[in-house]
């Protein structure tokens, strides 16, 4: 069955059977209320964080980090097609209205090295995150064997409205820096097709990566015996158009997230350390229940996420239930020290009934990660590698067709 991109699908999609087990539905009926949806500790975690994760945000201009946000940088509302922003609110983004003028001034950006100041600010956080990750501490304080990774993501940093924001201040961009600092932030990684194409044609050709393509389904399961956790089942498609599950693992832990607003570009940067946890030993009975769920999935390109389940088949063994499905069509470009992932993502969240499609570009900094995993880490060599990678990002990923969301 051919894959149909989300934007070309018919609006009259078949009604998706509820993935919620009958016992939960009965409980829901008894406790029905008309208020807003409440999050509880029993809901599966879409993102799992390590114990005491590192969070950071800062901004950088053409000559390095600024003492204060320049007057040419405005905070303006934008429209985002994301489930996170479907309640009528509009996120805000930082926009530099002086980029064109600055670029036209001779010598204005010649010799500027913003990546050096970024490397200096993030180095300690990355080293600390790897040390904590190698220790294997989970989100609940337990210890486990993990494999940490360092990845760069590209998109736009979004700011939530703050009580001190006013319509007049937004019109002029006159928002105090302290308000921007305190505003809740999120990272929007859905990039335009033009940006993705530019990365393929420009950065990839210059960097000389080897290419391979993958078509993967992820089925994220909740586990009644482990509230707040989530199990990721990685699947390919067999010749008979059924899923072939080839890996079962806990969702990765996020150890460190550093978001960087790049004031002279319309593309922002996220540096993230995450760790893949060693899968727990599962009994034959547990694997049988998980496999039963995967085997009952129906591949359907006309529904969001690309998968659906017959009525009553989206839970198994009274323990596992389907909560999220992802369909990723990925092009991977492999180099000696870097791995670039360009993917078309189609996702559906059964717990909220929302889905979205996205184009995403991730750069796995494999060489730095391997160095940091060594027993005796030579800090100076890692620092040099980090500076070189950040310069490459500034040359090929932030300057490749800047865009606004």
């Amino acid at each position: 069955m051919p894959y149909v991109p989300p934007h070309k699908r018919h609006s009259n999609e078949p009604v998706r059977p509820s993935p919620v087990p009958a016992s939960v539905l009965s409980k829901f009926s008894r406790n029905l209320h008309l208020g807003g949806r409440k999050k509880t500790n029993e809901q599966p975690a879409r993102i799992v964080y390590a114990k005491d994760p590192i969070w950071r945000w800062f901004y950088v201009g053409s000559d390095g980090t600024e003492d204060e946000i320049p007057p040419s940088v405005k905070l303006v509302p934008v429209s985002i097609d994301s489930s996170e922003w479907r309640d009528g609110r509009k996120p805000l983004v930082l926009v530099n209205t002086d980029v064109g003028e600055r670029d036209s001034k001779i010598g204005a950006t010649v010799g500027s090295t913003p990546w050096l100041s970024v490397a200096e600010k993030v180095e300690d956080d990355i080293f600390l995150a790897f040390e904590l990750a190698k220790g294997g501490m989970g989100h609940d304080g337990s210890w486990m064997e993990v494999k940490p990774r360092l990845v760069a993501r590209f998109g736009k940093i979004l700011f939530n409205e703050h009580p001190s924001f006013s319509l007049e201040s937004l019109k002029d961009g006159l928002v105090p820096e302290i308000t921007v600092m305190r505003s809740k932030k999120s990272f929007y990684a859905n990039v335009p097709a033009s940006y993705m194409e530019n990365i393929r044609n420009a950065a990839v050709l210059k960097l000389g990566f080897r290419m391979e393509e993958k078509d993967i389904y992820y089925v994220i399961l909740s586990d009644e015996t482990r509230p707040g956790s989530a199990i990721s089942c990685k699947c390919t498609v067999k010749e008979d158009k059924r899923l072939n599950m080839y890996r079962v693992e806990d969702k990765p832990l996020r150890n460190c997230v550093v978001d960087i607003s790049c004031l002279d570009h319309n593309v922002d940067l996220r540096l993230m350390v995450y760790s893949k946890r060693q899968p727990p030993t599962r009994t034959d009975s547990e694997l049988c229940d998980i496999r039963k769920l995967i085997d009952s999935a129906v591949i359907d390109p006309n529904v969001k996420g690309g998968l659906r389940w017959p009525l009553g088949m989206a839970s198994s063994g009274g323990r596992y239930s389907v909560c999220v499905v992802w369909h990723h069509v990925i092009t991977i470009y492999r180099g000696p020290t870097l791995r670039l992932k360009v993917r078309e993502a189609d996702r559906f969240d059964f717990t909220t009934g929302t889905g979205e499609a996205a184009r995403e570009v991730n750069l796995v900094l494999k060489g730095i990660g391997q160095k940091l995993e060594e027993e005796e880490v030579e800090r100076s060599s890692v620092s040099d590698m980090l500076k070189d990678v950040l310069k490459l990002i500034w040359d090929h990923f932030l300057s490749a067709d800047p865009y606004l969301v």
Side-chain angles (χ1 to χ4, degrees), residues 137-155:
M137 183 173 287
H139 70 289
D140 57 356
S142 61
W143 295 86
M144 62 192 74
E145 184 180 347
V146 297
K147 296 180 179 179
R149 298 286 184 269
L150 175 62
V151 63
R153 305 188 73 186
F154 307 95

Side-chain angles (χ1 to χ4, degrees), residues 43-110:
Q43 288 182 323
R46 297 178 63 185
I47 300 173
V48 185
Y49 293 95
K51 185 176 176 61
D52 300 324
I54 299 169
W55 285 92
R56 215 161 164 206
W57 169 81
F58 61 89
Y59 54 89
V60 60
S62 60
D63 298 318
T65 51
E66 307 278 355
D67 292 330
E68 60 182 16
I69 296 179
S72 60
V73 176
K74 311 295 182 182
L75 194 58
V76 299
V78 293
S79 296
I80 295 293
D81 183 20
S82 172
S83 57
E84 187 178 350
W85 302 94
R86 288 175 185 166
D87 58 358
R89 294 176 301 142
K90 281 191 175 182
L92 308 167
V93 295
L94 289 173
V95 176
N96 191 353
T97 60
D98 197 30
V99 171
E101 295 180 17
R102 185 178 295 189
D103 289 343
S104 65
K105 297 174 184 176
I106 299 176
T109 59
V110 174

Side-chain angles (χ1 to χ4, degrees), residues 149-154 189 191 195-196 199-200 204 207 209-214 216 218 234 246-247 249 252 274 276 328-335 338-345 347 358-366 397:
R149 298 286 184 269
L150 175 62
V151 63
R153 305 188 73 186
F154 307 95
V191 301
Y195 176 85
M196 182 177 283
I199 291 298
R200 292 180 189 274
V204 171
L207 299 174
F209 292 120
R210 294 182 292 107
M211 186 185 77
E212 66 175 291
E213 294 183 345
K214 293 185 177 182
I216 300 174
Y218 293 85
K234 202 170 182 179
Y246 67 93
R247 185 176 301 167
E249 58 190 5
Y274 71 93
K276 287 194 172 185
H328 288 177
V329 179
I330 311 172
T331 305
I332 302 175
Y333 302 89
R334 298 183 184 274
L338 299 171
R339 184 165 70 246
L340 175 65
K341 291 185 177 181
V342 179
R343 68 189 178 203
E344 300 272 357
R347 304 182 178 113
R359 304 178 190 89
E360 299 171 344
V361 176
N362 294 338
L363 185 65
V364 181
L365 312 184
K366 186 175 64 174
F397 291 87

Side-chain angles (χ1 to χ4, degrees), residues 105-152:
K105 297 174 184 176
I106 299 176
T109 59
V110 174
S112 63
T113 55
W115 55 87
L116 293 181
S117 60
V118 171
E120 186 177 319
K121 290 179 76 71
V122 303
E123 182 179 308
D124 287 343
D125 291 333
I126 291 173
F127 270 87
L128 177 59
F130 264 79
E131 285 301 314
L132 295 175
K134 286 192 292 186
M137 183 173 287
H139 70 289
D140 57 356
S142 61
W143 295 86
M144 62 192 74
E145 184 180 347
V146 297
K147 296 180 179 179
R149 298 286 184 269
L150 175 62
V151 63

Side-chain angles (χ1 to χ4, degrees), residues 47-50 52-58 122 125-126 129 150-151 153 157 185-187 253-260 269-274:
I47 300 173
V48 185
Y49 293 95
D52 300 324
I54 299 169
W55 285 92
R56 215 161 164 206
W57 169 81
F58 61 89
V122 303
D125 291 333
I126 291 173
L150 175 62
V151 63
R153 305 188 73 186
I157 297 170
K185 305 167 187 68
S186 60
F187 194 81
L253 292 174
R254 288 192 179 182
N255 303 91
C256 173
V257 177
V258 180
D259 287 334
I260 305 160
L269 172 64
R270 165 172 281 188
L271 294 174
M272 184 168 65
V273 177
Y274 71 93

